[in-house]
């Protein structure tokens, strides 16, 4: 999967930041340190150990480099930045039953706004899965690099035999 580049000064991102809105009843906010175990366990249950590890790194930052989407029933989604590498957006994910309502785009918009405020001019999306999601929502372009990416050679949990 390719790495993507997003200019935080593009018209697309300006529009995204100005227009993206979480659906009614959903709040996008930074999580509090005491919520770490809840966010980590949720990400582990919904997604993967790798993403749960990245969430823990996000919580080690001050301010926490992660945003969550919450409604009255609890967590609906999360998004991190500046975790695996400076300037990286992700990982991000929305609960399967909450997808398609604008939560993913609202999390992306809020993170890109935070990254811009911190002084980034560009955001990278490493090893992007849903490339079209980023192309359409933030004007992302594929970085034409055939070289090894940052995840090359990463240790992975061995499969038990
Ligand atoms: C990608 C993801 C975060 C999007 O969240 P979401 O809340 O469903 O997204 P939204 O409802 O905000 O979608 C906004 C738009 O993006 C489009 N979109 C959503 N997921 C998409 C995908 N996987 N590919 C292409 N377009 C997508 C929607 O159709 C919608 O378009 P529209 O406004 O024209 O209707 C979510 O599908 C997810 O958690 N996927 C699994 C984890 C993942 O792949 N994370 C990204 C890792 S890089």
């Amino acid at each position: 999967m390719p790495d993507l580049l997003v200019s935080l000064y593009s018209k697309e991102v300006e529009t995204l930041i100005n227009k993206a809105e979480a659906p009614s009843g959903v709040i996008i906010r930074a999580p509090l340190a005491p919520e770490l175990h809840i966010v980590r366990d949720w990400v582990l249950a919904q997604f993967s150990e790798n993403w749960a590890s990245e969430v823990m790194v996000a919580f080690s930052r001050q301010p926490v480099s992660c945003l969550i989407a919450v409604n009255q029933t609890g967590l609906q989604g999360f998004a991190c930045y500046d975790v695996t590498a400076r300037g990286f957006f992700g990982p991000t994910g929305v609960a399967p039953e909450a997808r398609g309502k604008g939560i993913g785009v609202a999390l992306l918009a809020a993170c890109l706004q935070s990254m811009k405020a911190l002084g980034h001019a560009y955001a990278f999306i490493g090893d992007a899965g849903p490339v079209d999601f980023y192309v359409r929502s933030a004007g992302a372009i594929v970085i034409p690099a055939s070289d090894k990416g940052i995840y090359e050679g990463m240790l992975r949990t061995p499969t038990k035999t």
Side-chain angles (χ1 to χ4, degrees), residues 47-119:
F47 297 103
S48 68
E49 286 177 323
N50 294 353
W51 286 11
S53 295
E54 291 184 86
V55 160
M56 287 164 73
V57 172
F59 271 83
S60 73
R61 300 271 160 70
Q62 192 99 50
V64 173
S65 62
C66 171
L67 293 170
I68 53 175
V70 187
N71 70 7
Q72 58 176 13
T73 65
L75 259 174
Q76 302 299 309
F78 80 106
C80 302
Y81 58 91
D82 279 346
V83 168
T84 292
R86 287 179 202 250
F88 264 38
F89 167 81
T92 186
V94 172
E97 63 279 9
R99 289 181 194 162
K101 297 176 183 169
I103 296 175
V105 158
L107 283 164
L108 174 66
C111 280
L112 296 183
Q113 187 171 21
S114 298
M115 293 176 77
K116 192 172 176 181
L118 285 169

